[in-house]
Structure formats: C-alpha cells, structure tokens
Amino acid sequence: MPPAPSRGNLPAVLAHLVARAAAGAGTPPTDGLRIGLVVEGGGMRSVVSAGTLAALSSLGLHHSFDLVYANSAGAINACYFLAGAIREASTLYEERLCDGRFIRASRLWRIMDLDYLFDHVLARHHPLDRDALARNRAELHIATTDVATGRGALWHHRDPRVALEAVLRASCAVPIYGGGPVRLLDRTYVDGFIANPLPVRSALAAGCTDLVVVHSYPFDGRPRRLSPARHYLEGLLLGRYPPALRAAYARRLEVYNDNALTAFAHREPGDVPRIYCLAAGPGDARPSQITTDPGLLRRARLDAYRRTLVAFGAEA
C-alpha cells in the first residue's frame, strides 16, 4: 500500500496539498490558493530532489501543484514527477549513471556527457510519458541562462516554439562540466543554475500563496560559499565565454543564497506567502555533483524519501 499522509496537525502548505489530493486529481481546485513547487538541480546531487519528489508522488501529490519552477537535473526530475513516473526514474542515478559513461572526471572538456544521458539513458531506458505530462494541469517553468547576456530565461514546458528536450538540455548544460551551449530560437543558453539557481523569487513573483522548496543541497539558513581556489579555477576555465556569462557564473551563489534565505525567512508559520522547505538533514547521505558511488546515491535517495514522508506524518 502507498503511504498515507497524516490528516492531523500539518503545516498549512502541506495540509493544503493533502486536501487537494483527497479531492481527486481530476477536480479543479476551489481553495483560492496558488501552490507552487521549486525543484533544485545539482548534477548527481539531484538524486536528493528525486527522492523527495518520489515521496511526494507516493503520497499522491503530483497533481496538487499549480506552478513548478526547476533547473538543470531538477527540471528533468520535475518532468517525471508531473508525469507520475518519478518513483521509477529516481533510481536511474544509481542504476544507469555510475559506470563511467555519463560522468568521467578525467574527461575535462565534458565531465558530464549529456548526449549519453538524453539519447541513451532517458530515451532508451526510461522515456518520458509526454501524454501523462500533458494531462497534468501544472505549469512547469524551466530555468536557463542566456550565454550572451548572462540573464536568466524561463521556458514553459508547453511552449510550441521549442522542443522540451532541447530546453532540458540547455538547462543542464553546465559550462566546464556538461558540454556546450544549446540553441533555442535565435539565442544560445546554458545551465539555469547560473542565473536562477533556486527560482524561489520567480515563483513568488508569479503569485504563489504557498510554496514547497525542494533542495538538493543541505541548507540550514547559513549562506553557501565557494572556496577561493575553486572560484579562481572556474574563472580560468570559463575564459572562452562572454564576460556577462562569466560574471553571472561568479555571482551564482550570491543569487542562490538570496533565494534560499528568502524561502528560509518565510517558513511556516506565517502570513502569505507560506513556504515549506524540504532539504537533507543531519546524518543524511550527501553526494557531490559528480558522485558515481551507487550505494551513496541510493542512500541519499532513500534518506530524502523517508525525510519527506516524515514531514507529512506518513510511515517512512
């Protein structure tokens, strides 16, 4: 049997989601709320957000959101979540991405092989059910970064001008790690994590009254920092990109911290907007962006899954 969320004293955001699920997936909401979901990326660390989304799906909540904002691998996770297939897709990290074909640290020009990810792993082993995604009324907005300007751009997953896979590839195209830019219409784009690393402010600007923020990185209210050595090395490796993109890359953690602290400051209880954050806790497995240890990835996925069920008062 799938786990059942508590109907007791849940935080308001979670209670609203449970109430919508109880009304049925085909029932248009009449609660007057605008409930959003933010899904963080982070390469292989996104197995954490995949585990969290798998728990939300097992609770029957994948039809309960109005708006979803995501970037990088978090955007892929969000697509499978909205299509009702994230529980199966979440295991791909440990089962299909650890054999050296997707990630190879010695392949400095392309540590992550996005062609292998999209053309082999996703297309052959777990193709996205586009019809199921289309039946979900939620609007998914995928974050990318304009190479020429360094500014963020959001793409609706139903935008008829561009292919969804192309948008996902652009959102995952991490300079240094994940290959070159992707052309969308008449411009080129890379990883959404650069300009819009955690789209909390984007969701709030869209009028969300309630928001669930799914972190891939642990966050306890303290700003994330880059080491000076990594900052210097990345600056050298980005030398072939336009100055605006290099500047955006250099300040990405500043933007991330602003969004993460905004969510942290509005945590329940409180007035609208009501925000609930789901993140790894003490003792949870913490993979890196390029982890290829299947055991560590599995533990991280299951830790996130269990922690999410506990948040809803369900049996882990």
Side-chain angles (χ1 to χ4, degrees), residues 13-33:
V13 176
L14 307 189
H16 294 155
L17 289 171
V18 171
R20 283 189 172 187
T27 305
T30 58
D31 50 23
L33 303 173

Side-chain angles (χ1 to χ4, degrees), residues 42-45 103-105 111-112 177 287-293:
M44 296 296 278
R45 190 180 270 123
I103 290 181
R104 190 179 304 162
I111 294 174
M112 296 180 182
Y177 294 98
S288 74
Q289 189 176 7
I290 57 173
T291 291
T292 55
D293 179 343

Side-chain angles (χ1 to χ4, degrees), residues 17-255:
L17 289 171
V18 171
R20 283 189 172 187
T27 305
T30 58
D31 50 23
L33 303 173
R34 196 162 171 81
I35 304 181
L37 173 68
V38 170
V39 185
E40 185 175 0
M44 296 296 278
R45 190 180 270 123
S46 299
V47 72
V48 175
S49 62
T52 300
L53 294 178
L56 294 178
S57 185
S58 71
L59 294 168
L61 303 178
H62 51 287
H63 287 283
S64 295
F65 294 92
D66 300 300
L67 297 168
V68 180
Y69 288 82
N71 61 40
S72 195
I76 298 175
N77 290 343
C79 284
Y80 282 89
F81 171 69
L82 294 176
I86 187 61
R87 280 177 287 176
E88 298 81 7
S90 65
T91 64
L92 292 175
Y93 288 86
E94 68 218 46
E95 293 175 353
R96 299 286 180 184
L97 301 179
C98 294
D99 61 2
R101 287 183 286 180
F102 173 53
I103 290 181
R104 190 179 304 162
S106 61
R107 192 175 51 208
L108 296 179
W109 66 95
R110 191 174 58 180
I111 294 174
M112 296 180 182
D113 187 341
L114 295 185
D115 290 337
Y116 175 75
L117 172 64
F118 282 95
D119 299 337
H120 181 80
V121 175
L122 297 182
R124 297 185 186 181
H125 296 287
H126 211 299
L128 178 65
D129 187 337
R130 302 296 181 93
D131 292 335
L133 177 61
R135 288 193 296 271
N136 195 314
R137 62 178 183 80
E139 298 178 8
L140 170 60
H141 298 271
I142 300 168
T144 62
T145 303
D146 187 304
V147 171
T149 66
R151 295 175 182 170
L154 291 168
W155 299 84
H156 196 295
H157 77 288
R158 296 191 181 99
D159 190 330
R161 302 172 300 164
V162 290
L164 175 59
E165 182 182 313
V167 175
L168 291 172
R169 282 178 181 261
S171 191
C172 292
V174 186
I176 304 172
Y177 294 98
V182 176
R183 180 166 292 277
L184 300 174
L185 302 180
D186 59 347
R187 304 186 68 83
T188 54
Y189 296 87
V190 289
D191 184 24
F193 193 91
I194 297 172
N196 201 353
L198 190 69
V200 171
R201 289 195 177 275
S202 296
L204 296 179
C208 287
T209 59
D210 298 73
L211 187 63
V212 174
V213 179
V214 174
H215 287 275
S216 295
Y217 293 79
F219 191 81
D220 59 3
R222 290 177 292 182
R224 287 177 56 196
R225 306 291 184 198
L226 268 186
S227 69
R230 180 174 172 181
H231 183 84
Y232 175 75
L233 178 61
E234 289 180 344
L236 290 179
L237 294 174
L238 284 167
R240 67 187 180 93
Y241 286 93
L245 185 72
R246 297 202 303 270
Y249 199 92
R251 64 174 180 268
R252 70 193 186 282
L253 283 192
E254 178 184 337
V255 178

